[in-house]
């Protein structure tokens, strides 16, 4: 048998033909292994020594290894050679990491460190015996340190001075041994932080030291350069007409995110913002710097709407937990749990990064251990750029997502759509580095992806609250939340899924409705197990959609493919046997492929799979899930399903008066949801301004477009819309169009204040709201008049607003909130002056309630506050409430001036005292005099003098020291 076996191989090798090894290699490998085992048995029988047998086996093994190497594709061989110390095959007891190259399947029971591609990997070997085994079955060599570098670090090293210090990420197999090794080589101040979940440390050192000292450590398996995070552009404004937010607010008023804590990971939220105030959870990991951007993100997520209706977020009753994006890893899970955080917004990015780094692994690990937690990331604003690393480098418009943390599998990444409802050109696109679908969703972001992510975060908070309300306060799994969002998203950009918009534009109303109606199921599977659910589709269905989502365990850093545990979704029409597979996008690295439509095939990349069936044939559809490649058993999952009915219609915007505020926007989009089989089907859209008594035709429209640009009529009216279709007439909610109530603080004195507003002809009375001892404006009193003097002792509040109560019962828009500390004082608004030519001064007083005032007196005071002289009184009228006093011949230096307001009841109110600095009759006045080097020398130029000239400074010898423009005002001496 041994002789026959040998002759077979020699004959095969001697008659080698082109392409032989590509087709016969598995046979060669299998027979070679059998021959070696048989050789071992036969030689033992005839008395050969173990040493002799070992030598012969090595010779035979080397023979087949050489044959194997000759058969491998050149591009695979180049990766192998680039990461090998030497292509010579030799075991080194001091080198734990080896690179292996195979041409079929990687042998089982391997200690895999990193897959470089489908045929190349870094493995750990700790014995000669293990090495011998791999040497018989693969190409193997000691690995150099280049495999440990992230693509970003490789670019960084080539483009930065080797001697300059930077912050780097080091990852190991064990965090304890990694920290111990770093402590031996680095000073304590150089180790900046430790992230245990990802087994990583942040260190500060030079690139030289990193390469020469740290990279060769056996405790290090990955290194990356840390890039500072940046917010991805502030918002211009938010429109609640998108994503069914108005419909959610109107139709499900209790869905407001109460009891949910939303994390804001960036800079600090302004705790004094009127729409955030009183809802910030104490956090020990918050940034110290307050950011307008962070405050705006919090407002979109869950603003209270205290300031005005446009300050109301999606989850208006949620709480906020601030943390800092100086830490790009997932926040400590114990700290987040203590703060009861269940969803976290990440509206920031770094650079375009196309690899699975330690930060990505950190977020996947966090969700794996905390399956209720949802992370929402902005995709980025680099849509016109391209990646310079990875498989998709150099492809314009694709694979330009900002930050390797966004390469995680268990998160939601959000693109931005613009005012027209299309994907913004600046919005970053997928695919992820390994071809996965990313971003997964799109949302309205008129100036970037930041606010788009915040809109999804707010929606998640409401979904969590609605689920918890009916499930004993238990939170939904993030796999359920993601599945619902993907299944209810509205298709945009191109038909089906795509790398620009993912599953489509988020629909907050449909997502929350799906949670309330429990349109989902769940299960868990081990390898090869099957779960299924039958769904009956009656006649008249527009589409059937099913989405599968699961949480996967964290992958190895810098791995070529992130997915570890694979589930497969399939839908079968039982009556016909027709099988439907998920939508899968092409992954070839070129623009044509990445912009192509999705195909139905098995998905082996993503943790979410979706099947959509348009106009499904009536019958029973079996939704099945199979455990295809499960290494961490069991894997839990959620399936969300929905059937849409043909010839249905509903208006989604506007829903109420605040949706049609002409003072904010003269034109808005009338929006609706419908399902029709024919995209050319027409409907007639009409509007009524008298509560439906008469109708005005706006336009015949194609129903599938879903929106119409409407100019809001400048009138006071009760409006509503009607859509006439072949399958019925449909009506919108009634809503009020009218002038928004505007309040005015007439005076704010120590004991009282007066608030007034214009009359609304539809109002029966008005409710006054106040803000002071809670996080929300609350009703204070209801009155018929259009003003109210309020006792500050009885009502010690600082913010007020007014809302008309209409006679028809429709809600009106509440006024903007007014703060008593903003610009209004006791019977006057402001006192100011203008210095005029010829040493004159115009003193101006603006009063707040002229009807209460008898006369105005301007007074000149001494520096001690005594009245020096009083100018003639001015009788108060009912005009615009502005009064002037001209003063001539101002003295050099400071003049003290104020106004006395004599009220009709005989009481006097005094303004603050102004200090007016004048040069008098001199063209130029310097002060203080004498001056010293500890203070600045200031100067004032008489207003009639030329301010475009220069002031020259000389020393005692006449030497010119400096020149300053006359308008500078001061000089440091």
């Amino acid at each position: 048998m041994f002789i026959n076996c040998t002759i077979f191989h020699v004959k095969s090798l001697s008659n080698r033909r082109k392409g032989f090894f590509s087709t016969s290699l598995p046979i060669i490998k299998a027979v070679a292994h059998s021959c070696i085992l048989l050789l071992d048995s036969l030689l033992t029988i005839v008395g050969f020594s173990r040493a002799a047998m070992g030598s012969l086996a090595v010779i035979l093994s080397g023979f087949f290894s050489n044959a194997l190497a000759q058969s491998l594709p050149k591009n695979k061989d180049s990766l192998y050679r680039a990461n090998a110390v030497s292509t010579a095959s030799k075991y080194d007891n001091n080198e734990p990491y080896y690179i292996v190259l195979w041409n079929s399947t990687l042998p089982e029971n391997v200690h895999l460190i990193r897959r470089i591609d489908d045929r190349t990997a870094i493995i750990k070997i700790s014995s000669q015996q293990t090495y011998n085994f791999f040497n018989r079955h693969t190409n193997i060599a000691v690995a150099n340190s280049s495999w440990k570098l992230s693509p970003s670090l490789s670019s960084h090293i080539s483009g930065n001075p080797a001697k300059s210090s930077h912050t780097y990420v080091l990852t190991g197999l064990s965090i304890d041994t990694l920290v111990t090794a770093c402590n031996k080589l680095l000073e304590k101040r150089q180790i900046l932080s430790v992230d245990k979940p990802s087994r990583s440390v942040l260190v500060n050192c030079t690139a030289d030291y990193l390469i020469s000292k740290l990279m060769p450590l056996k405790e290090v398996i990955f290194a990356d350069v840390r890039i500072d995070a940046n917010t991805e552009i502030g918002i211009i404004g938010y429109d609640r007409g998108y994503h069914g937010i108005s419909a959610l607010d109107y139709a499900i008023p209790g869905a407001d995110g109460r009891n949910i804590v939303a994390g804001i990971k960036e800079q600090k939220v302004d705790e004094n913002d009127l729409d955030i105030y009183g809802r910030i959870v104490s956090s020990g990991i918050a940034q110290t710097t307050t950011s307008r951007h962070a405050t705006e993100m919090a407002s979109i997520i869950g603003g209270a709407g205290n300031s005005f209706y446009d300050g109301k977020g999606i989850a208006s009753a949620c709480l906020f937990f601030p943390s800092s994006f100086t830490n790009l890893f997932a926040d400590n899970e114990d700290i987040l749990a203590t703060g009861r955080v269940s969803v976290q917004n990440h509206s920031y990015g770094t650079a375009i990064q196309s690899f699975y780094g330690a930060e990505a692994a950190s977020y996947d690990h966090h969700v794996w251990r905390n399956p209720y937690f949802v992370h929402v990331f902005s995709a980025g604003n680099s849509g016109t750029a391209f990646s310079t690393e990875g498989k998709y480098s150099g492809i314009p418009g694709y694979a330009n997502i900002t930050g390797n943390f966004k390469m995680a599998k268990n998160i939601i990444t959000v693109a931005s759509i613009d005012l027209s409802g299309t994907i913004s050109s600046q919005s970053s696109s997928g695919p992820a580095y390994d071809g996965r679908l990313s971003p997964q969703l799109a949302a309205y972001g008129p100036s970037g992806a930041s606010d788009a992510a915040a809109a999804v975060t707010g929606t998640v908070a409401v979904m969590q609250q609605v689920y918890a309300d009916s499930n004993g306060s238990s939170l939904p799994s993030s796999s359920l939340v993601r599945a619902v969002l993907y299944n209810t998203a509205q298709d945009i950009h191109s038909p089906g899924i795509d790398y620009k918009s993912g599953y489509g534009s988020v629909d907050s109303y449909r997502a929350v409705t799906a949670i309330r109606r429990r349109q989902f199921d769940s299960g868990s599977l081990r390898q090869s197990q099957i779960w299924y659910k039958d769904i009956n589709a009656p006649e008249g269905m527009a589409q059937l959609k099913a989405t599968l989502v699961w949480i996967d365990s964290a992958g190895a850093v810098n791995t070529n493919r992130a997915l570890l545990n694979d589930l497969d979704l399939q839908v079968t029409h039982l009556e016909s046997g027709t099988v439907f597979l998920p939508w899968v996008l092409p992954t070839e690295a070129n623009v044509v492929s990445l912009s192509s439509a999705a195909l139905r095939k098995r998905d082996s990349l993503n943790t979410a799979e979706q099947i959509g069936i348009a106009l499904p044939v009536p019958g029973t559809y079996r939704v099945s899930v199979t455990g295809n490649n499960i290494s961490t058993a069991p894997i839990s999952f959620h399936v969300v399903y929905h059937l849409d009915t043909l010839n249905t219609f509903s208006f989604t915007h506007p829903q109420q008066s605040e949706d049609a505020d002409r003072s904010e926007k003269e034109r808005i989009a009338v929006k609706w949801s419908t399902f029709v089989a024919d995209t050319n089907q027409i409907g007639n859209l009409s509007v009524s301004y008298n509560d439906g008594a008469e109708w005005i035709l706006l336009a015949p429209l194609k129903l599938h477009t879903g929106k119409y640009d409407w100019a809001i009529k400048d009138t006071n009216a009760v409006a509503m819309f009607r859509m006439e279709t072949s399958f019925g007439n449909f009506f919108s909610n009634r809503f009020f169009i009218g002038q928004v109530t505007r309040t005015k603080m007439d005076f704010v004195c120590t004991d009282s204040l007066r608030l007034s507003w214009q009359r609304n002809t539809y109002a029966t009375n008005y409710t006054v709201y106040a803000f002071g001892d809670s996080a929300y404006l609350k009703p204070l009193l209801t009155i018929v008049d259009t003003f109210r003097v309020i006792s500050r002792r009885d009502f010690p509040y600082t913010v007020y607003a007014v809302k008309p109560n209409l006679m028809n019962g429709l809600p009106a828009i509440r006024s903007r909130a007014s703060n008593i500390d903003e610009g209004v004082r006791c019977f006057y608004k402001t006192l100011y002056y203008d210095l005029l030519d010829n040493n004159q001064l115009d003193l101006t007083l603006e009063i707040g309630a002229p009807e209460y005032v008898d006369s105005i007196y301007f007074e000149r005071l001494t520096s001690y506050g005594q009245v020096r002289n009083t100018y003639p009184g001015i009788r108060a009228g009912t005009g615009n409430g502005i009064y002037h006093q001209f003063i001539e011949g101002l003295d050099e230096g400071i003049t003290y001036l104020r106004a006395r307001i004599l009220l009709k009841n005989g009481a006097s109110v005094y303004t603050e005292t102004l200090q007016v600095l004048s040069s008098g009759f001199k063209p130029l006045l310097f002060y203080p005099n004498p001056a010293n080097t500890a203070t600045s020398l200031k100067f004032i130029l008489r207003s009639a003098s030329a301010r475009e000239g220069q002031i020259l400074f000389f020393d005692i010898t006449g030497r010119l020291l400096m020149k300053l423009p006359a308008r500078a005002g001061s000089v440091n001496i």
Side-chain angles (χ1 to χ4, degrees), residues 274 306-311 661 663-664 740-743 755 777 799-802 813-819:
L274 195 61
N306 291 322
S307 59
F308 197 40
Y309 67 78
D310 59 2
D661 178 7
S663 64
E664 291 292 309
V740 177
T741 300
R742 287 174 171 79
T743 59
L755 185 68
L777 284 171
V799 176
Y800 292 88
V802 174
I813 301 175
R814 197 209 68 211
S815 73
R816 291 185 180 275
S818 299
N819 193 315

Side-chain angles (χ1 to χ4, degrees), residues 138-351:
T138 66
N139 271 23
I140 185 169
V142 174
N144 59 33
S145 294
S146 61
W147 64 273
K148 300 180 182 182
L149 301 178
S150 75
S152 292
L153 181 54
S154 297
S155 300
H156 166 83
I157 290 172
S158 63
N160 287 274
K163 301 297 183 183
S164 61
S165 293
H166 292 276
T167 300
Y168 299 103
V169 180
L170 300 178
T171 304
L173 294 175
S174 164
I175 188 62
D176 294 331
T177 58
L178 177 62
V179 170
T180 300
C182 290
N183 283 333
K184 291 180 180 179
L185 294 177
L186 297 167
E187 298 177 7
K188 285 187 177 180
R189 61 184 176 83
Q190 292 178 287
I191 301 177
L192 305 178
S193 63
V194 176
D195 184 69
K196 290 185 177 181
S198 65
R199 303 187 299 276
S200 301
V201 297
L202 283 181
V203 301
N204 184 268
C205 64
T206 65
D208 265 355
Y209 196 84
L210 176 76
I211 297 301
S212 63
K213 299 295 184 182
L214 299 177
M215 293 298 294
L217 291 174
K218 65 180 181 180
E219 290 83 5
V220 174
I221 64 167
F222 173 74
D224 190 18
V225 59
R226 185 193 181 279
I227 303 174
D228 290 338
N230 294 289
T231 54
E232 298 189 308
I233 303 181
I235 63 171
I236 294 174
Y238 200 71
D239 188 338
R240 293 173 65 84
Y242 284 86
H243 315 310
I245 296 172
S246 291
L248 173 63
D249 188 37
Y250 184 85
I252 317 176
D256 53 14
R258 63 184 181 277
N259 301 322
I260 299 300
V261 181
I264 310 290
K265 188 176 172 80
E266 49 177 282
Q267 292 173 308
K268 191 177 181 181
V269 173
D270 182 2
E271 296 181 359
N272 294 316
D273 184 270
L274 195 61
D275 294 318
I276 309 299
Y277 181 82
R279 294 192 288 139
I280 309 295
V281 177
S282 177
S283 167
I285 56 175
Q287 263 272 32
T288 57
T289 304
T290 299
S291 159
R292 177 184 174 186
H293 182 272
T295 304
E296 288 175 334
M297 296 306 100
S299 297
I300 293 174
I301 293 166
N306 291 322
S307 59
F308 197 40
Y309 67 78
D310 59 2
K312 186 175 183 180
I314 300 170
S316 58
C318 75
L319 302 176
F320 302 100
F321 182 90
S323 65
S324 173
F325 62 7
T326 56
N327 170 32
L328 292 177
F329 294 99
D331 290 330
N332 182 282
E333 62 181 74
D334 294 331
I335 293 176
L336 293 175
T338 300
R340 298 191 302 107
V341 187
S342 56
V343 57
Q344 190 174 48
N345 188 74
H346 306 261
S347 288
Y348 55 88
T350 54

Side-chain angles (χ1 to χ4, degrees), residues 515-747:
I515 290 285
R516 296 180 76 207
R517 294 177 179 174
R518 304 190 67 83
Q519 296 170 335
F520 55 84
D521 213 327
S522 62
S524 61
L525 292 174
R526 299 179 183 273
Q527 179 64 28
S528 301
Q529 289 183 330
I530 300 175
W531 173 97
Y532 68 88
K533 180 182 184 65
D534 292 342
I535 300 173
N536 181 56
E539 292 275 0
M541 292 296 103
Q543 70 171 343
L544 185 156
K545 189 188 291 185
T547 303
L548 162 71
V549 176
W550 68 96
I551 300 170
D552 196 16
S553 54
V557 287
N558 221 13
T559 181
N560 70 315
R561 182 176 298 189
L563 188 68
L564 295 179
N565 297 284
D566 191 10
L567 301 180
D568 285 337
L569 178 67
Q570 180 177 294
V571 174
T572 305
H573 183 238
L574 296 184
E575 285 80 358
S576 66
T578 304
V579 175
F580 299 91
L581 295 178
W583 294 115
V584 177
L585 289 169
T587 60
E588 289 75 19
N590 59 75
V591 171
V592 173
S593 172
L594 299 182
S595 59
S596 297
L599 305 172
R600 291 192 188 275
K601 58 187 293 188
R602 178 178 174 269
D603 188 333
S604 59
L605 289 176
N606 297 282
T607 58
E609 300 180 6
Q610 186 175 95
I611 295 174
I613 305 171
L615 302 174
V617 175
T620 301
Y621 288 83
R622 174 160 293 179
V623 180
S624 61
V625 181
T626 304
N628 182 276
N629 185 20
I630 297 179
S631 58
T632 311
I635 293 295
S636 298
F637 63 88
H638 279 86
V639 172
V640 177
Y641 49 88
H642 187 71
L643 280 164
D644 293 309
T645 305
L646 277 173
N647 299 333
T648 55
F649 184 98
S650 62
F651 284 100
T652 59
H653 186 261
Q655 293 283 341
Q656 48 195 332
S657 299
E658 61 194 39
D659 295 337
D661 178 7
R662 196 176 187 276
S663 64
E664 291 292 309
K665 292 181 181 179
E666 294 185 357
R667 306 183 73 90
I668 64 169
V670 181
K671 297 182 179 181
W672 59 87
S673 174
T674 188
F675 295 94
V676 291
D678 183 3
T679 57
N680 292 314
Q681 188 163 346
I682 299 295
N684 291 322
L685 178 66
S686 302
V687 65
S688 170
Y689 296 109
N690 53 10
D691 209 5
E694 297 175 307
W695 293 94
I696 301 170
L697 178 65
L698 294 175
L701 302 164
K702 290 185 177 181
L703 291 174
H704 84 279
T705 59
K707 63 181 180 180
Y708 170 77
D709 184 46
W710 175 56
I712 304 172
K713 188 175 181 179
D714 187 9
T715 184
N716 290 328
V718 176
M720 61 189 303
F721 294 101
R722 179 182 67 189
M723 183 68 80
E724 298 173 284
T725 75
S726 61
F727 49 89
N729 295 339
F730 301 91
F731 300 88
S732 73
N733 294 326
R734 299 156 63 240
F735 57 94
F736 178 73
I737 302 174
Q739 187 177 9
V740 177
T741 300
R742 287 174 171 79
T743 59
K744 181 176 70 170
M745 287 285 178
D746 297 322
F747 60 81

Side-chain angles (χ1 to χ4, degrees), residues 90-109:
K90 182 181 178 182
Y91 175 68
D92 187 340
N93 189 47
N94 296 317
E95 298 289 347
Y97 302 117
Y98 291 77
I99 184 165
V100 293
L101 181 63
W102 66 96
N103 204 35
S104 56
T105 58
L106 186 65
E108 295 181 359
N109 302 320

